[in-house]
Amino acid sequence: MNTSDLEPLPAHPSLEQYRKQAKEFVKACKSGDPGALRRIESHHPRAARLLASGVPNVRVPLAEAQLVIAREHGFESWPKFAQHVEALTRASSPISRFEVAADAIVAGDIATLASLLSQDPELVRARSTRVHRATLLHYIGANGVENFRQRSPPTAVAVANALLDAGAAVDALADSYGKSTTLGLVATSVHPAGAGVQLALLETLLAHGAAVDGVPGGRTPLIAALHNGRPEAAELLATRGARLDLEGAAGVGRLDLVKRFFAENGGLKPNATPAQMKAGFLWACSYGRGSVVEFLLRSGIDVGAHLHGETGLHGAALGGHVEIVELLLGCQAPVDVEDDRFGGTPLGWALYGWGNPAPESRRARHHEVVALLVAAGAAVEPQWLAGEKVRADPRMLAALTDAPPR
């Protein structure tokens, strides 16, 4: 279940109101309301079966409508949702206390949290009744829980310490993204990174004994951080003893370790795989690890290697890494490959990186990247030239107009 679009509950929810909503939802589906049908597609686990008729008017049983509403709020079933709502009507219920504590965590309200933990010491080991089954400590990650609670307050480290000092299990698993520890959630989350507390939170969790490599047999927090655009978190975990395979070593820029995965004849040793080499190359391009990129190119990596259509040139362009873009273009990297997820070319990714919040120094490098890509023959979309932001930046407009538009 996707937690990125869950609906919050009001302070005093009424189960009867949700029953009425379910009945209205049934009527909306029967009348072919597009919004109702989209809700089924987004939240019903058997949406394809319910919508199989393909006609605008869909007959949805009341129980199925109730399931959609339950899942919109992060619950596996209507009975679990109903139990949660009923419990919220009693301020003294364990569910109510948990919800108040979760709100205190994301608000950075240490006083309220401390009072709740003092009144109920077992609260620190309780779990959410939502599908992710998170403990209170997992909310520190601002990731994998309900979206309206994905926030990192400036006091996040103090909140984490309060929970850990009260006995929170540092490596408890939430049912988010399969199975996740708090360390894994923090390492991959944009919210603590944006709030400037991500690295301090990781240090705090590690100081309390968090396993740096996460769940045995699963993807390590370090690799997950690389996949989620959190290179600083990956670098910190590497310095704290995280296991580094070829992908991880390349992603954090450890050329000395990358070389150890190659035999004297230039081939990979048995402890490394082509898939790790390809992924490591992409992260090295994305995160500005120039010496690693150069070594892997000399070692025979395909300059057009991709994951989901995303090439090293995509990542280097997005990050504004001028030297790596030059290196890849010099090796004849394909300039107009479209990625599978967004349909964007490296030039499109460069413009996205330039147009979104970034340090001014990095924005300046995107001008150079765009000029390099256009000079290499990258196709320019007419709508880019007409964009208000581009037209307000003479340097970017000049970079784009060095080649005829498509």
Side-chain angles (χ1 to χ4, degrees), residues 247 268 273-280:
E247 177 182 357
L268 289 173
T273 68
Q276 291 171 352
M277 183 180 179
K278 178 169 70 173

Side-chain angles (χ1 to χ4, degrees), residues 46-396:
R46 298 176 298 280
R49 179 177 62 79
L50 280 180
L51 303 175
S53 64
V55 298
N57 305 340
V58 179
R59 294 184 179 276
V60 175
L62 179 61
E64 304 294 358
Q66 290 176 333
L67 177 59
V68 169
I69 290 174
R71 290 177 68 88
E72 284 177 331
H73 289 86
F75 297 90
E76 292 176 306
S77 66
W78 176 261
K80 291 185 178 181
F81 173 66
Q83 181 185 26
H84 184 94
V85 170
E86 189 279 328
L88 290 179
T89 64
R90 294 176 283 112
S92 61
S93 72
I95 286 176
S96 288
R97 290 196 297 270
F98 185 95
E99 293 292 301
V100 173
D103 285 339
I105 288 169
V106 301
D109 186 350
I110 299 173
T112 296
L113 179 63
S115 176
L116 289 166
L117 294 174
S118 175
Q119 295 170 29
D120 182 6
E122 289 302 309
L123 185 59
V124 79
R125 285 174 282 278
R127 288 183 176 272
S128 171
T129 55
R130 288 181 172 83
V131 67
H132 50 66
R133 300 285 297 153
T135 68
L136 291 175
L137 186 64
H138 288 110
Y139 283 86
I140 290 295
N143 188 9
V145 296
E146 50 273 22
N147 60 309
F148 53 88
R149 285 187 173 132
Q150 292 183 15
R151 304 195 303 274
S152 292
T155 56
V157 174
V159 172
N161 276 313
L163 290 166
L164 291 163
D165 291 344
V170 71
D171 277 335
L173 295 175
D175 293 338
S176 305
Y177 314 119
K179 296 287 184 180
S180 299
T181 63
T182 301
L183 184 81
L185 295 177
V186 171
T188 57
S189 181
V190 66
H191 302 292
V197 297
Q198 183 178 50
L199 301 186
L201 280 174
L202 292 175
E203 294 277 23
T204 298
L205 294 166
L206 291 169
H208 282 81
V212 71
D213 286 324
V215 183
R219 192 168 67 176
T220 69
L222 184 149
I223 296 296
L226 293 173
H227 280 253
N228 285 274
R230 308 271 78 83
E232 296 85 1
E235 291 167 23
L236 184 145
L237 294 173
T239 66
R240 298 300 181 268
R243 179 176 58 84
L244 289 171
D245 59 12
L246 176 54
E247 177 182 357
V252 299
R254 288 291 305 274
L255 179 60
D256 57 327
L257 297 183
V258 169
K259 290 179 177 179
R260 296 181 188 178
F261 291 100
F262 290 83
E264 290 186 7
N265 64 4
L268 289 173
K269 291 182 178 179
N271 63 341
T273 68
Q276 291 171 352
M277 183 180 179
K278 178 169 70 173
F281 173 71
L282 297 179
W283 308 140
C285 291
S286 298
Y287 302 133
R289 321 301 191 188
S291 61
V292 173
V293 173
E294 196 170 359
F295 174 81
L296 292 176
L297 286 169
R298 290 199 308 267
S299 298
I301 188 74
D302 177 7
V303 71
H306 61 86
L307 288 174
H308 311 300
E310 300 170 17
T311 66
L313 190 57
H314 279 90
L318 177 67
H321 303 302
V322 178
E323 296 81 5
I324 294 177
V325 169
E326 288 181 312
L327 177 61
L328 297 174
L329 291 176
C331 293
Q332 306 304 308
V335 295
D336 281 332
V337 174
E338 295 184 353
D339 71 273
D340 297 342
R341 292 187 290 181
F342 310 110
T345 64
L347 180 54
W349 280 43
L351 288 169
Y352 180 85
W354 162 78
N356 284 272
E360 198 60 36
S361 59
R362 200 180 88 177
R363 285 174 59 88
R365 295 201 301 270
H366 282 96
H367 293 95
E368 297 180 59
V369 167
V370 167
L372 285 168
L373 291 169
V374 172
V380 179
E381 299 286 352
Q383 64 267 27
W384 296 340
L385 297 173
E388 182 178 338
K389 188 174 290 187
V390 167
R391 299 194 70 82
D393 185 337
R395 186 177 175 190
M396 182 57 74

